[in-house]
Amino acid sequence: MSSASTLIRRTAIRDYGVYLALIVLVVVNVVITPNFITTDNLRTQLVQVVPTLVVALGMALVIGTEGIDLSVGSVMAIAAALLPLYLGYGVVASILVCLVAGALAGLLNGSLVTFAGVQPIVATLALLVGGRGLALVIANGQLKQLYNPDLLALGSSSVIGIPLTVLVALVLVVIVALLVERTTFGRQLVAVGGNRRAAEFAGLPVKRTLLTVYMLSGVFAAIAGVLASARLTASDPSSLGLLIELSAITAVVVGGTPLTGGRVRVIGTVAGALLMQLISATLIKHDVPASVTQMLEAALIAAAVLVQRERRNGR
Amino acid sequence: MIAAIQRHGALVVLVVLLAAGGLMFRTFLTAYTLGNLAVQASFLAMIALGMTLVIISGGIDLSVGSVYALAGVLAAYGSTRWGLAGALILPLVVSGVIGLIQGTLIARLRMAPFIVTLCGLLFARGLLQLITSEGSTTYLVPAGSAFRWLGDGTVLVVIAVVAYLAGGVVLQRTPFGMRLFAVGGNEDAASLMGLPVARTKISVYVISGLLAGFAGVMSAAQLGSGVTVIGVGLELNAIAAVVIGGTMLTGGAGAVSGTLAGVALLFVIQELINQLGRFNSNMQAVVSGAVLVVVVVLQTLLSRARRQR
């Protein structure tokens, strides 16, 4: 009886801990942070979390297959570098080029993982190293101001008070949630991550699933690159997306998707990204030095994962 | 045959590239050029040595780049306060403790190494920022300090070579090395055999922390100060060197000699690109990434072919 209730309590903390932490942090902020509940502030927080959130959505899918994608930051930079090159053909064409580049980057990662059998961390590491260089080569190493009014509108305009970039992120969240929960592809993804060999024996299209997942991650990273550039009103291939792979992985894991694969928690990932954003925003607002912020974040990530860890935890 | 190629693949490529470099550039195969490369490579070599042991145990250590930078600053700080002893003891104690905490979380609380050492990366970088007042304070090693001789190029290379010899002996000839392979190969089996799994895993993270810390000490001795901006992304170079050297990330197998060849390969490729002079630094990153892909794919295919036989 007592052990059963302990188990239920532990499961509850594991599954809902991230929401609980988010609620607690919001309440704390309402109490201690002046001007926290203002539309301006909430809007700023949401706009700032968009790139990490979008990247994390793709990352959640990859991690669901027991993979990882370290190349997302470099793919963002590649997209940012390509964006100004094709603006002459219109914003849509230019963004399409970026998305295709993201898909190709994902195809490269996915092929290395699927056909060559290279471990995901190493396969995507190569693109992390090479991709940033490629972005700088494309952009000739320069930061470019973006002047296209349509693109700038994407970064700064709002619909019924909600910033456009936030709406885009919201749509992507819904799409990924439906993909995972309601489609055959989603079930195959989880099956591949749970036990790849069993999925192969069951006749599931394992290779196609893995390729698709890495391509989706690449496309999402490219979208994040476009959205971030539109908001910055500049294409900055040298620093855009630097270390974002770590924030995205953190959001996914804090949100309850285990690194061992076999489960994808989309809404948890959203909560994880919001939680990380809110933690750093809170600390900055209260003039905590960046160094202490970083150390506290590390401790909080460790605490979150410690709470969620399962009895049989691999690596 | 395949096993031999896979095991010594990095070495073969290294020899080929050195020969090519020697044919293309008269200055390439000189003691001066190669000596310089060896000195530059000695820091990554120390870090990659620890990474090899961690990866053989089935884990990964992402914190090494931050620990390297942190130890460098602590060494410079220590040398200003307590001379040579401070420059050595302070950074090594701190990096050893970071390794101990990481290892304990991984081995005793069964948390994922990737996450724990990612936190270690953030934590060590934060600590580094804290003790340098957000990067604005620079600690200089006093000019006449006995600590400076440690930074002499020859001394650095000798230290790295000795560390690799010791690493090889520990891995191949000691009970600890045997336990490491057993734990990385099959943790459950190792546990059933009664091996001290947790203690072995903790030791490996402590060793990795100490080696990264010592590399930081070496850098402070050579540069004459603690540099706050170094070491970013170094963990990835170290992982790359280990993998290029034939140690698989799945754990349970590997050798430090391969890692040394992997480190040398990374630096020789870099130097060749430099000498070719046609590429700017951005293009170098592209080429490095491409080379990494080729080597890793070859390694993976070879080790697969080996397993199927």
Side-chain angles (χ1 to χ4, degrees):
Chain A
M1 166 68 198
S2 74
S3 76
S5 73
T6 315
L7 189 65
I8 290 168
R9 209 177 304 141
R10 285 203 50 175
T11 315
I13 291 176
R14 198 184 73 209
D15 286 351
Y16 303 106
V18 62
Y19 307 110
L20 192 70
L22 194 56
I23 292 168
V24 168
L25 196 58
V26 168
V27 172
V28 166
N29 265 296
V30 170
V31 176
I32 66 166
T33 311
N35 302 325
F36 179 74
I37 295 289
T38 58
T39 27
D40 261 359
N41 178 51
L42 295 179
R43 195 182 289 159
T44 311
Q45 300 302 331
L46 285 177
V47 167
Q48 280 179 355
V49 83
V50 162
T52 311
L53 174 56
V54 172
V55 168
L57 287 174
M59 187 72 80
L61 298 179
V62 175
I63 290 180
T65 66
E66 207 179 353
I68 202 142
D69 188 351
L70 298 182
S71 72
V72 285
S74 293
V75 174
M76 277 179 78
I78 291 175
L82 288 170
L83 192 59
L85 295 184
Y86 298 93
L87 273 178
Y89 301 98
V91 168
V92 176
S94 180
I95 291 178
L96 274 179
V97 169
C98 295
L99 299 192
V100 170
L104 285 176
L107 186 63
L108 173 69
N109 286 332
S111 303
L112 288 174
V113 172
T114 313
F115 299 119
V118 179
Q119 279 149 329
I121 185 171
V122 185
T124 55
L125 171 68
L127 192 56
L128 166 78
V129 176
R132 176 87 38 198
L134 188 61
L136 287 162
V137 169
I138 294 169
N140 216 356
Q142 282 166 340
L143 184 146
K144 287 195 188 79
Q145 288 294 323
L146 299 170
Y147 296 108
N148 185 300
D150 295 334
L151 190 60
L152 299 191
L154 172 64
S156 60
S157 62
S158 298
V159 179
I160 44 170
I162 306 172
L164 206 51
T165 55
V166 174
L167 279 178
V168 172
L170 215 57
V171 170
L172 293 177
V173 169
V174 173
I175 289 174
V176 172
L178 289 176
L179 200 63
V180 171
E181 302 290 338
R182 293 285 155 84
T183 64
T184 318
F185 171 74
R187 281 194 292 279
Q188 285 168 350
L189 186 164
V190 169
V192 170
N195 189 334
R196 182 165 165 180
R197 194 168 291 173
E200 265 162 10
F201 283 137
L204 298 184
V206 173
K207 293 187 169 168
R208 201 177 64 204
T209 308
L210 285 172
L211 274 181
T212 313
V213 158
Y214 282 94
M215 285 175 76
L216 282 174
S217 178
V219 170
F220 276 56
I223 294 174
V226 170
L227 293 178
S229 302
R231 196 174 81 82
L232 291 167
T233 71
S235 153
D236 180 9
S238 63
S239 68
L240 190 72
L242 223 50
L243 292 180
I244 199 168
E245 64 279 357
L246 299 183
S247 324
I249 294 167
T250 307
V252 172
V253 174
V254 168
T257 303
L259 277 174
T260 40
R263 190 169 68 189
V264 180
R265 306 212 336 154
V266 180
I267 306 304
T269 300
V270 178
L274 286 174
L275 183 65
M276 300 313 297
Q277 167 68 24
L278 207 52
I279 289 170
S280 61
T282 309
L283 295 170
I284 290 167
K285 279 243 170 64
H286 291 275
D287 291 328
V288 177
S291 56
V292 179
T293 305
Q294 205 167 17
M295 289 160 73
L296 276 174
E297 273 175 13
L300 284 166
I301 296 167
V305 176
L306 186 60
V307 168
Q308 290 171 359
R309 102 203 121 99
E310 317 207 7
R311 251 186 312 161
R312 272 172 49 83
N313 203 346
R315 42 184 198 142
Chain B
M1 175 66 185
I2 293 175
I5 298 178
Q6 200 246 335
R7 187 130 207 204
H8 303 293
L11 197 60
V12 174
V13 180
L14 180 65
V15 170
V16 170
L17 284 184
L18 281 174
L23 287 175
M24 283 190 286
F25 310 105
R26 261 193 304 165
T27 55
F28 200 85
L29 285 182
T30 56
Y32 179 77
T33 309
L34 296 182
N36 262 343
L37 279 186
V39 173
Q40 286 171 35
S42 60
F43 308 107
L44 181 62
M46 296 295 280
I47 294 170
L49 177 61
M51 187 69 83
T52 312
L53 302 185
V54 173
I55 288 179
I56 289 175
S57 83
I60 199 144
D61 189 351
L62 299 180
S63 72
V64 287
S66 293
V67 169
Y68 167 70
L70 173 64
V73 169
L74 287 174
Y77 175 75
S79 76
T80 61
R81 297 290 296 271
W82 306 289
L84 181 62
L88 289 173
I89 294 168
L90 179 65
L92 289 180
V93 167
V94 171
S95 40
V97 167
I98 291 177
L100 181 66
I101 295 171
Q102 293 186 145
T104 307
L105 290 174
I106 291 162
R108 300 264 183 228
L109 297 181
R110 304 183 67 76
M111 291 169 71
F114 191 95
I115 295 293
V116 170
T117 57
L118 175 62
C119 292
L121 180 157
L122 293 174
F123 188 86
R125 187 65 62 183
L127 192 57
L128 161 70
Q129 299 290 340
L130 190 67
I131 58 179
T132 56
S133 336
E134 311 301 315
S136 64
T137 310
T138 307
Y139 299 105
L140 294 173
V141 179
S145 171
F147 179 49
R148 287 304 296 269
W149 70 261
L150 184 65
D152 177 70
T154 315
V155 176
L156 293 179
V157 174
V158 168
I159 289 174
V161 169
V162 169
Y164 269 81
L165 288 175
V169 170
V170 166
L171 204 52
Q172 305 295 342
R173 299 267 182 274
T174 65
F176 176 75
M178 299 299 123
R179 284 205 294 273
L180 206 54
F181 284 116
V183 168
N186 189 334
E187 197 176 320
D188 292 338
S191 176
L192 287 174
M193 286 193 315
L195 297 181
V197 173
R199 208 174 50 182
T200 307
K201 285 168 90 173
I202 294 172
S203 317
V204 120
Y205 287 94
V206 173
I207 293 171
S208 176
L210 285 175
L211 281 168
F214 195 74
V217 171
M218 285 159 54
S219 84
Q222 203 210 18
L223 299 168
S225 78
V227 181
T228 55
V229 292
I230 57 172
V232 177
L234 204 57
E235 63 283 350
L236 299 178
N237 287 340
I239 295 169
V242 172
V243 173
I244 288 171
T247 299
M248 301 297 289
L249 277 172
T250 34
V256 298
S257 57
T259 300
L260 191 57
V263 172
L265 191 55
L266 288 178
F267 277 85
V268 167
I269 290 168
Q270 194 70 38
E271 178 64 21
L272 267 179
I273 296 171
N274 275 339
Q275 297 251 357
L276 281 169
R278 261 175 248 148
F279 303 117
N280 62 16
S281 61
N282 300 327
M283 203 62 207
Q284 286 181 19
V286 180
V287 175
S288 299
V291 171
L292 188 55
V293 168
V294 172
V295 176
V296 167
V297 167
L298 283 178
Q299 286 285 20
T300 312
L301 293 180
L302 284 170
S303 79
R304 240 205 221 163
R306 182 175 146 199
R307 223 173 299 146
Q308 276 164 5
R309 272 148 50 101

